[in-house]
Amino acid sequence: MPNPFVSQLDPTWKLALTDHLDKLEAIESFIDYENEVGRTCLPPRDQVLRAFSQPISSVKVVVVGQDPYPTPGDAHGLAFSVEPSVRIPRSLSNIFQELSTDLGCPTPTTGDLRPWATQGVLLLNRVLTVQAGASGSHHGHGWEEFTEAVISALLEHTILPPVFILWGKPAQKLLPRVGQAPVVWGSHPSPLSARKGFFGSRPFSRTNAILVSRGQEPIDWCLP
């Protein structure tokens, strides 16, 4: 099997999730079936767990969304992020609008959020795959249980619990899992809900204030 999901995990994540790797194997079997019957799954197989390429101990902030972009070529394994050559999706455009309002950052030229990831921001969707053209199509196939295990692992293997940014109702279902960790939450930045509690929520400055209050370096949210 080319590039199994487990092989994409940083060794520290693999160790922290040892008791849950069977969940990944079961999900991978589901993805295999989807491909066999002609249903395209996104993001590409070798990018599904890209969010876990950094050591678990480096995570300071967790941004949780819903599921990957369903348009082929958009999703690349980091929640809300796209490759530099891809046009900026509307949800991400709304994120950038709030970023500018909140911190005064200039509008980024691309939708590539890897500079956030390398600073310790885990860009995590609640569900990590989707059928092309069908938002929400992979809910209920094991990803929810896996991402719950990810939250538990973070709380166990980080010195300070990360700040959780929970956007949208699927993400906010993780609230009981985060315990006493700090939470910044709001509606999802999609065009359907951004004006119902996302715009004006100032998630970036609020998150940095929490980090600084704990003696941690703030995130440089501004992007090229």
Side-chain angles (χ1 to χ4, degrees), residues 84-97:
S85 60
V86 174
R87 61 100 180 94
I88 297 174
R90 293 178 68 188
S91 291
L92 186 53
S93 178
N94 288 338
I95 291 172
F96 289 166
Q97 181 177 332

Side-chain angles (χ1 to χ4, degrees), residues 50 76 78 81-84 111-119 123 223:
R50 173 178 265 177
H76 69 157
L78 301 177
S81 181
V82 294
E83 293 286 353
D112 185 359
L113 303 184
R114 277 175 285 196
W116 292 357
T118 57
Q119 295 180 74
L123 296 165
L223 295 162

Side-chain angles (χ1 to χ4, degrees), residues 20 24 38 42 49 60 62 92 102 113 160 175 214 223:
H20 305 281
L24 278 182
L42 304 173
L49 295 179
K60 298 193 296 186
V62 184
L92 186 53
D102 188 3
L113 303 184
L160 287 173
L175 274 170
R214 303 194 301 182
L223 295 162

Side-chain angles (χ1 to χ4, degrees), residues 54-149:
Q54 303 289 326
I56 188 172
S57 61
S58 70
V59 177
K60 298 193 296 186
V61 178
V62 184
V63 175
V64 186
Q66 296 183 6
D67 57 358
Y69 297 120
T71 303
D74 282 6
H76 69 157
L78 301 177
F80 299 106
S81 181
V82 294
E83 293 286 353
S85 60
V86 174
R87 61 100 180 94
I88 297 174
R90 293 178 68 188
S91 291
L92 186 53
S93 178
N94 288 338
I95 291 172
F96 289 166
Q97 181 177 332
E98 180 63 19
L99 178 64
S100 178
T101 301
D102 188 3
L103 296 179
C105 296
T107 302
T109 56
T110 79
D112 185 359
L113 303 184
R114 277 175 285 196
W116 292 357
T118 57
Q119 295 180 74
V121 179
L122 179 65
L123 296 165
L124 179 70
N125 276 313
R126 192 72 170 89
V127 172
L128 302 186
T129 57
V130 68
Q131 179 185 331
S135 295
S137 51
H138 286 186
H139 286 257
H141 290 282
W143 280 125
E144 289 88 349
E145 291 79 8
F146 178 74
T147 49
E148 286 177 2

Side-chain angles (χ1 to χ4, degrees), residues 147-168:
T147 49
E148 286 177 2
V150 167
I151 300 306
S152 298
L154 280 166
L155 297 177
E156 182 179 350
H157 293 275
T158 50
I159 297 175
L160 287 173
V163 181
F164 289 90
I165 301 177
L166 306 180
W167 285 334

Side-chain angles (χ1 to χ4, degrees), residues 34-56:
E34 292 289 280
N35 289 331
E36 287 170 6
V37 299
R39 289 191 279 265
T40 300
C41 298
L42 304 173
R45 191 187 199 97
D46 62 353
Q47 298 176 3
V48 169
L49 295 179
R50 173 178 265 177
F52 302 93
S53 61
Q54 303 289 326
I56 188 172

